[in-house]
């Protein structure tokens, strides 16, 4: 078979897809890695011990298909029922499941009039729409494309704050009927936090489903978890990756109305969350004070780093996350990426027009943040 024959075996939609661009995971000795918002602190010793103890003959068995024990612990934490929770292979998996469960692919419309049965009526335009602000998590458009859904991307205000409902109505671009709306709160990559009041006003104006992606919320002043338990069309996405130092284990979860959660359970893989991940996440919930101390350290480092970079001439946006978005002085942001890399410091740069003049820098340990500040100073004076 030649290359073009092979290509023909792939669905046209997949052939044309632009995949998600991952942050680099290089294994360079001595590298200060501040590019993927990982937590600079390890999981708690109790979590490491729980995982190590679980590495035994149990590995031959399937894990709990529903992550039952973990869901029960999470339910207790959030004051809801286990039926309000689904656990995923990272929250990324659940974001993808939400698109599959709640959005009709635009590319596969039923031919009009093909059937008189109600369930086969042609889907309305808004049933195909995945909606999000830009900039926000760059996975959302990829998930929409994979599913063949329509996308509605609406730019945030110039300072990356959230437009009010009245402004969105006036702007006429935002679709309050979209099948699925993702809101990254606090926002990534800007780091800006949103108040629960403004998030609730937005949710209330929506007729379709709203997913509040709170991947970084543990570093923020406010969270909107109560909205998932108050408004049936709102789901909150959380992850153990960032705040709980568990990127490697891939555990995230959604909280929301039992009816929606049941729909997601129907379409997930049977054993979607690996056993060691479930054990690690359960042990994490048993040692929350350890993590809360880390949040405080990261927030303190974030504020110190922001002040230091500001003194060097960087424009640093206020952050409610474990990273900062900053406009560097003197050289274009893309050049800074390379200059820092030459000094073994890895940060993130995005080519999207709204953020191409910025660097996104994960908050590391105080030592890493100090090294970054010193290196930036040297670059500027060199
Ligand atoms: C805004 C946002 N949501 C969700 C995720 C996915 O997290 P995970 O799949 O590790 O739970 C990320 C990861 O970078 C993110 O930035």
């Amino acid at each position: 078979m030649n290359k073009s024959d092979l290509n023909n075996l792939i669905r046209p939609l997949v052939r044309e897809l632009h995949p998600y661009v991952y942050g680099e995971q290089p294994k360079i000795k001595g590298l200060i890695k501040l590019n993927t918002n990982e937590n600079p602190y390890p999981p708690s010793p109790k979590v490491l011990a729980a995982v190590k103890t679980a590495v035994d003959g149990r590995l031959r068995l399937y894990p709990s298909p529903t992550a039952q024990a973990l869901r029960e612990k999470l339910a207790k934490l959030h004051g809801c029922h286990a039926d309000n929770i689904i656990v995923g292979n990272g929250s990324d998996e659940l974001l993808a499941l939400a698109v599959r469960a709640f959005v009709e692919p635009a590319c596969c419309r039923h031919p009009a009039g093909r059937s008189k049965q109600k369930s086969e009526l042609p889907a309305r335009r808004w049933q195909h729409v995945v909606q999000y602000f830009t900039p926000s998590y760059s996975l959302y458009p990829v998930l929409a494309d994979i599913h063949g859904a329509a996308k509605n991307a609406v730019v945030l205000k110039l300072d990356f704050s959230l437009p009010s409902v009245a402004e969105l109505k006036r702007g006429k671009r935002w679709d309050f009927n979209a099948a699925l709306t993702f809101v990254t709160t606090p926002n990534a990559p800007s780091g800006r936090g949103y108040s629960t009041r403004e998030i609730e006003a937005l949710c209330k104006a929506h007729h379709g489903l709203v997913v509040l992606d709170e991947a970084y919320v543990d570093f923020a002043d406010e969270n909107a978890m109560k909205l998932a338990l108050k408004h049936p069309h709102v789901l909150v996405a959380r992850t153990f990756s960032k705040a709980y130092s568990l990127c490697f284990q891939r555990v995230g979860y959604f909280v929301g109305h039992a009816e929606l959660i049941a729909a997601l359970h129907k379409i997930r893989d049977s054993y979607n969350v690996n056993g060691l991940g479930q054990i690690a996440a359960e042990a994490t919930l048993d040692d929350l004070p350890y993590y809360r101390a880390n949040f405080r350290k990261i927030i303190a480092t974030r504020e110190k780093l922001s002040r230091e970079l500001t003194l060097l001439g960087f424009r640093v946006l206020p952050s409610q996350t474990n990273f900062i978005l900053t406009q560097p002085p003197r050289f274009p942001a893309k050049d800074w990426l390379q200059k820092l890399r030459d000094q073994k410091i890895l940060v993130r740069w995005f080519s999207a027009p709204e953020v191409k003049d910025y660097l996104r820098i994960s908050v590391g340990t105080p030592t890493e943040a100090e090294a970054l500040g010193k290196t930036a100073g040297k670059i500027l004076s060199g």
Side-chain angles (χ1 to χ4, degrees), residues 191-342:
R192 186 173 272 282
Y194 305 132
S195 72
T196 306
R197 189 183 40 77
E198 61 187 327
I199 293 284
E200 183 163 27
L202 182 65
C203 290
K204 276 171 139 177
H206 270 264
H207 306 293
L209 224 131
V210 182
V211 171
L212 303 175
D213 183 348
E214 292 197 328
Y216 299 99
V217 83
D218 296 285
F219 307 103
D221 296 336
E222 286 189 54
N223 73 74
M225 180 57 84
K226 67 174 187 196
L227 303 186
L229 303 168
K230 183 171 169 193
H231 300 287
H233 66 302
V234 175
L235 292 165
V236 165
R238 292 276 181 96
T239 177
F240 282 86
S241 292
K242 318 289 180 174
Y244 301 94
S245 306
L246 274 188
C247 288
F248 198 75
Q249 293 283 16
R250 312 299 304 123
V251 187
Y253 62 100
F254 270 12
V255 179
H257 195 284
E259 197 90 20
L260 300 180
I261 297 293
L264 292 165
H265 273 294
K266 273 192 195 166
I267 62 167
R268 65 171 170 77
D269 282 349
S270 316
Y271 302 98
N272 63 329
V273 189
N274 77 86
L276 294 178
Q278 294 186 32
I279 284 168
E282 283 174 49
T284 298
L285 297 178
D286 291 339
D287 200 9
L288 290 178
Y290 168 88
Y291 293 94
R292 289 180 182 139
N294 287 349
F295 305 159
R296 288 192 291 274
K297 282 194 267 183
I298 290 167
I299 291 167
T301 310
R302 176 185 81 199
E303 298 308 307
K304 187 162 183 275
L305 176 66
S306 301
R307 282 193 301 273
E308 281 171 9
L309 290 178
T310 304
L311 286 176
L312 289 173
F314 284 70
R315 189 168 85 86
V316 184
L317 303 188
S319 169
Q320 292 270 297
T321 60
N322 66 339
F323 57 85
I324 53 168
L325 192 73
T326 176
Q327 219 173 355
R330 182 100 56 96
F331 312 108
K334 195 176 175 198
D335 293 357
W336 269 98
L337 177 77
Q338 190 54 47
K339 285 178 192 296
L340 287 169
R341 202 194 159 100
D342 293 344

